[in-house]
Amino acid sequence: MILKLCKSWLKINLKKYIKNEKNYFSLKWRSRNLLLLSLVAILSISISVTAITSYNFVKGLLLDSLKQQALLKTQKGEEDIDNWLAIRKTEIKTLANSIVVRSLDWSLMEPYLQSELKRLQTFLLMASVKPDGTLRNTQGDVLDVRDREFFQRSITGETVAADPIIGRTTNQLQIQISSPIPDKTGTKTAGVLMGGIPINRVIEVVNNLHQGKGSYAFALNSQGVPIAHPDTRLIGTPEKAAKSFLNSANPRLVEITQRMVSRRTNIELAQLDGKWNYVAYTPLREANWSIALIVPQENIESPLQALNILATVLGGLLIVGLISAWRQLQLYEEIRQRALISSQQAQQLSNTLRELQNTQAQLIHTEKMSGLGQLVAGVAHEINNPVNFIHANLNHASEYTKGILDLLKLYEQTYPNPTPEISELTQDLDIEFLAEDLPKLMTSMQVGTRRIRQIVLSLRNFSRLDEADMKMVDIHEGLDNTLMILNHRLTATPERSEIEIIRKYGDLPQIECYAGQLNQVFMNVLVNAIDALEAASEERKLQTVKTNPNHIRIQTQLDKLTQDAIVQIYDNGIGMCDEVKRRVFDHMFTTKPVGKGIGLGMAIAYEIVVEKHAGSIQVNSTLGRETEFTIRIPLISKK
């Protein structure tokens, strides 16, 4: 470009001076034009480099974000299958450690396992396997399973979910969940307990994994053989041989399969079936399997078309600006104007980059909340299993305790004159006190487990991981679950006073919404209210706090005219000034100290309420006195 500009400049000046001077070397350079030409060249190079660099940077950020969405969907499917398998493993492991199963007496085990099959309604059958590989199942079969994966792994002490097989008894494709049966000492493996479950749940989760037209998902076992695939001809088991993807004619598919078998997580571009696709894959924790989501390239990169059009327009504008600047080289004012236009374009590009950075920060915050929700649900799940086991066994323990106490009373009535040894032990143990206190102790333990189960239920309801789509929910349940999560910040401590919660719930029907996202709105608003009350407590005098205690009032009602559910959250904290009220929903705006807030909470709440639910959120506040947020959500989604 610079060489062409110089040649054109020479031609123009040669034609101008050739009439007056015959000698070519007498041509004098016009330093001013050369300076202007140099400035134009330098400016064009600078703007081009800046535009190309900014374009590539923004494109990379947006593409990475879009790819991560596909990978997160795959990981969500993996979490669903892992949670399901973990529950099944816990059920089998619990049964394997029960007294009946550890007895290894099939005459006792068989009716017990039959009753558990009816109770759980998940397993096709259950079986006990001796160390020599002899299996007896609840369908009356006796088999040799020494060659089965589940037996070989569980006899060594491992609780496993083996690769799917076609059961020798049921002739159905099933997953065998097995756990070692400890001996009486609990130090050795006395046998294996196995439960067969249909693979339908895995197939259902895989079939529901989509991201746009033409996308699909599949699952591979530890050998790279599909166990769930839209093309059922590719699915294989040890009894029905199928080609492993490790032996595919497509080298890219072989590479990806090797990484999946090696239990890696990634998303990469590959050509499959003659088309370019993004392949997002991730391993399961509870089994040696992996899930992959195949998304056509255009599904991922279609949002980039708008960015490409913008870059083309900006490039076109730059070229037009350079041509115009060259043609008007002698007009200094126009050159300066062109430079100003270029500067404005660079500023627009900078603004665009800033907006994309805000969007990226919002996406990071959303994913962090999703990760937190998954963590909360996972912790709740891990707590729930042992608590349910304890709670269920407490009922039996109470019955056993009552039976033993009744037996002692009967002994006292039948043998009113005990031996001296029995009398002495009775006095040492204080049998009368034990008989009175032990039922109370069991009752208090049951109350405690019920409280833990209530807390776990609130945690799981708050996370709402299984409710990614819109559905009808009770908005009061979401408010109560959020308050239970925040209960530790509401109770009094030596450093702060109690925050009273005043509930004034109206008669509201269920509303159609994204339950998890709406819980996030309640969480953000209530956290801000608690922060305001804590700040107010530091500023107010003790007498003022006693006469006007810290409180949060939550009021709900139905607007029958607009058919909107109205939620009003009020606090008597420090309030807001007019400037803060105008900017409270802006991205990256916060009045909190560094490290306590980044200015995304209320912006996220505004987006969820207004953009995703077609509702509204407003704030009314008086500085130094009170703040009230009013949230309106349509009963039926307008989206």
Side-chain angles (χ1 to χ4, degrees):
M1 176 65 75
I2 297 175
L3 183 59
K4 290 182 179 179
L5 290 173
C6 291
K7 288 182 178 179
S8 301
W9 184 87
L10 287 173
K11 289 180 181 179
I12 294 173
N13 285 278
L14 280 171
K15 290 179 181 179
K16 182 175 181 180
Y17 289 98
I18 197 65
K19 296 179 182 179
N20 300 325
E21 309 218 0
K22 295 181 179 180
N23 192 347
Y24 171 78
F25 295 99
S26 64
L27 179 62
K28 294 183 178 180
W29 293 79
R30 307 182 84 185
S31 59
R32 184 167 178 266
N33 286 352
L34 281 174
L35 177 60
L36 293 175
L37 179 61
S38 300
L39 290 174
V40 171
I42 294 173
L43 182 62
S44 64
I45 293 174
S46 301
I47 294 178
S48 299
V49 171
T50 302
I52 292 173
T53 304
S54 300
Y55 166 78
N56 290 331
F57 178 72
V58 173
K59 181 179 179 181
L61 286 178
L62 186 56
L63 181 59
D64 287 343
S65 176
L66 295 170
K67 288 163 60 178
Q68 284 301 314
Q69 291 179 13
L71 186 58
L72 286 171
K73 282 193 175 182
T74 308
Q75 292 173 334
K76 175 62 170 60
E78 169 258 319
E79 285 288 339
D80 289 345
I81 297 176
D82 270 334
N83 291 339
W84 178 67
L85 288 175
I87 294 173
R88 305 289 84 80
K89 282 185 175 181
T90 302
E91 292 169 345
I92 288 296
K93 188 173 182 179
T94 301
L95 293 176
N97 284 273
S98 65
I99 296 176
V100 176
V101 174
R102 292 178 67 179
S103 71
L104 299 177
D105 186 347
W106 182 250
S107 62
L108 298 176
M109 293 169 59
E110 198 271 343
Y112 175 70
L113 295 179
Q114 290 285 7
S115 66
E116 289 299 314
L117 285 174
K118 293 180 181 179
R119 181 180 68 84
L120 297 174
Q121 296 184 353
T122 305
F123 294 85
L124 298 171
L125 55 81
M126 290 187 184
S128 172
V129 189
K130 295 181 178 179
D132 62 358
T134 303
L135 176 146
R136 298 178 67 96
N137 62 29
T138 52
Q139 297 190 357
D141 299 309
V142 179
L143 304 171
D144 184 0
V145 294
R146 285 176 293 178
D147 60 332
R148 292 300 196 189
E149 177 191 5
F150 80 87
F151 171 74
Q152 295 172 353
R153 293 174 62 183
S154 289
I155 199 65
T156 63
E158 184 181 359
T159 299
V160 300
D163 286 351
I165 64 168
I166 295 178
R168 294 173 179 171
T169 300
T170 63
N171 290 323
Q172 290 182 310
L173 188 61
Q174 60 178 289
I175 302 169
Q176 294 176 321
I177 309 294
S178 59
S179 183
I181 302 174
D183 63 0
K184 294 182 179 180
T185 63
T187 59
K188 297 181 180 179
T189 300
V192 174
L193 180 68
M194 183 274 287
I197 55 176
I199 198 173
N200 298 349
R201 178 60 182 274
V202 177
I203 296 175
E204 177 186 351
V205 173
V206 171
N207 289 342
N208 287 335
L209 275 179
H210 295 286
Q211 185 162 340
K213 184 178 180 181
S215 63
Y216 65 94
F218 62 83
L220 301 181
N221 65 12
S222 59
Q223 306 301 319
V225 177
I227 59 176
H229 197 285
D231 188 353
T232 56
R233 295 173 298 178
L234 302 178
I235 299 176
T237 65
E239 297 79 9
K240 176 189 172 185
K243 185 177 181 181
S244 171
F245 283 1
L246 291 172
N247 301 321
S248 172
N250 187 335
R252 284 291 291 144
L253 181 57
V254 173
E255 293 176 1
I256 292 173
T257 303
Q258 289 174 340
R259 296 187 183 97
M260 293 176 65
V261 172
S262 300
R263 303 185 63 77
R264 297 183 183 177
T265 298
N266 198 8
I267 178 170
E268 54 189 289
L269 189 63
Q271 193 172 22
L272 304 176
D273 301 327
K275 297 181 180 179
W276 286 98
N277 299 275
Y278 279 98
V279 183
Y281 52 89
T282 186
L284 273 72
R285 299 188 308 273
E286 301 294 338
N288 292 330
W289 314 333
S290 292
I291 296 178
L293 175 61
I294 310 300
V295 184
Q297 184 180 12
E298 58 270 18
N299 292 12
I300 297 287
E301 298 183 0
S302 57
L304 298 179
Q305 294 178 359
L307 185 63
N308 293 333
I309 293 174
L310 176 62
T312 302
V313 171
L314 290 176
L317 291 174
L318 181 60
I319 293 173
V320 171
L322 290 175
I323 294 174
S324 300
W326 171 243
R327 290 180 178 177
Q328 305 292 331
L329 187 60
Q330 302 297 327
L331 302 176
Y332 175 78
E333 293 298 327
E334 288 196 26
I335 292 177
R336 189 173 61 175
Q337 184 178 2
R338 292 296 178 183
L340 179 60
I341 293 174
S342 300
S343 177
Q344 291 174 349
Q345 292 173 350
Q347 182 62 39
Q348 290 175 0
L349 188 61
S350 176
N351 292 339
T352 301
L353 178 60
R354 190 180 303 110
E355 292 176 2
L356 287 173
Q357 289 173 340
N358 289 339
T359 302
Q360 183 191 27
Q362 180 180 346
L363 288 173
I364 292 173
H365 179 76
T366 302
E367 293 304 328
K368 186 164 74 171
M369 290 300 296
S370 174
L372 178 60
Q374 293 176 358
L375 176 63
V376 168
V379 171
H381 166 72
E382 293 300 329
I383 295 174
N384 196 42
N385 284 334
V387 168
N388 283 341
F389 181 79
I390 294 171
H391 185 77
N393 286 333
L394 280 176
N395 293 329
H396 298 301
S398 297
E399 295 176 3
Y400 300 160
T401 301
K402 183 178 182 302
I404 292 173
L405 292 175
D406 292 340
L407 179 62
L408 288 175
K409 290 181 180 179
L410 183 60
Y411 265 107
E412 290 179 351
Q413 295 173 2
T414 306
Y415 302 101
N417 299 315
T419 64
E421 291 82 3
I422 295 177
S423 298
E424 182 179 355
L425 183 59
T426 301
Q427 293 177 358
D428 292 340
L429 294 178
D430 197 355
I431 294 298
E432 293 182 359
F433 172 78
L434 287 179
E436 178 182 359
D437 190 64
L438 191 56
K440 297 179 181 178
L441 179 64
M442 300 301 294
T443 301
S444 66
M445 292 170 66
Q446 289 177 327
V447 171
T449 56
R450 281 196 294 269
R451 175 60 178 167
I452 296 174
R453 294 175 70 189
Q454 182 183 6
I455 294 173
V456 169
L457 179 61
S458 297
L459 287 171
R460 296 178 63 182
N461 289 341
F462 177 79
S463 64
R464 298 277 190 177
L465 288 179
D466 58 338
E467 299 182 11
D469 297 326
M470 273 202 172
K471 55 178 60 179
M472 305 302 291
V473 299
D474 182 1
I475 201 171
H476 294 150
E477 181 183 358
L479 287 165
D480 290 337
N481 290 332
T482 305
L483 289 171
M484 180 166 288
I485 299 298
L486 295 172
N487 185 63
H488 67 285
R489 296 196 61 187
L490 301 175
T491 54
T493 67
E495 292 77 22
R496 66 170 185 265
S497 58
E498 179 187 12
I499 299 176
E500 180 185 8
I501 300 297
I502 304 173
R503 295 178 175 87
K504 293 187 176 182
Y505 291 167
D507 187 12
L508 282 181
Q510 291 189 334
I511 68 172
E512 186 181 23
C513 65
Y514 296 103
Q517 296 185 16
L518 206 56
N519 285 346
Q520 184 180 343
V521 173
F522 298 149
M523 173 70 76
N524 292 349
V525 175
L526 286 170
V527 166
N528 278 2
I530 294 172
D531 291 343
L533 288 170
E534 290 180 351
S537 297
E538 295 176 358
E539 298 178 3
R540 293 174 180 169
K541 296 180 180 179
L542 180 62
Q543 189 62 33
T544 305
V545 174
K546 289 182 178 180
T547 57
N548 185 21
N550 293 336
H551 66 273
I552 296 175
R553 184 179 69 247
I554 305 175
Q555 183 171 335
T556 64
Q557 58 183 317
L558 174 64
D559 189 336
K560 296 182 179 180
L561 182 62
T562 61
Q563 289 297 295
D564 289 342
I566 302 175
V567 180
Q568 295 172 300
I569 300 177
Y570 166 93
D571 69 81
N572 61 336
I574 58 176
M576 304 179 190
C577 64
D578 293 339
E579 174 64 17
V580 173
K581 283 193 292 184
R582 283 194 299 269
R583 301 188 58 193
V584 68
F585 299 115
D586 290 349
H587 279 276
M588 311 304 290
F589 174 76
T590 180
T591 58
K592 298 177 181 178
V594 176
K596 290 191 175 181
I598 60 174
L600 286 177
M602 298 312 300
I604 295 294
Y606 182 88
E607 180 184 356
I608 292 173
V609 173
V610 176
E611 298 182 15
K612 295 191 176 182
H613 290 86
S616 66
I617 179 170
Q618 297 176 337
V619 59
N620 184 25
S621 180
T622 302
L623 183 62
R625 293 179 56 189
E626 58 192 12
T627 299
E628 183 177 66
F629 283 90
T630 302
I631 302 169
R632 301 177 72 97
I633 303 292
L635 295 182
I636 304 299
S637 173
K638 299 178 182 178
K639 291 288 186 180

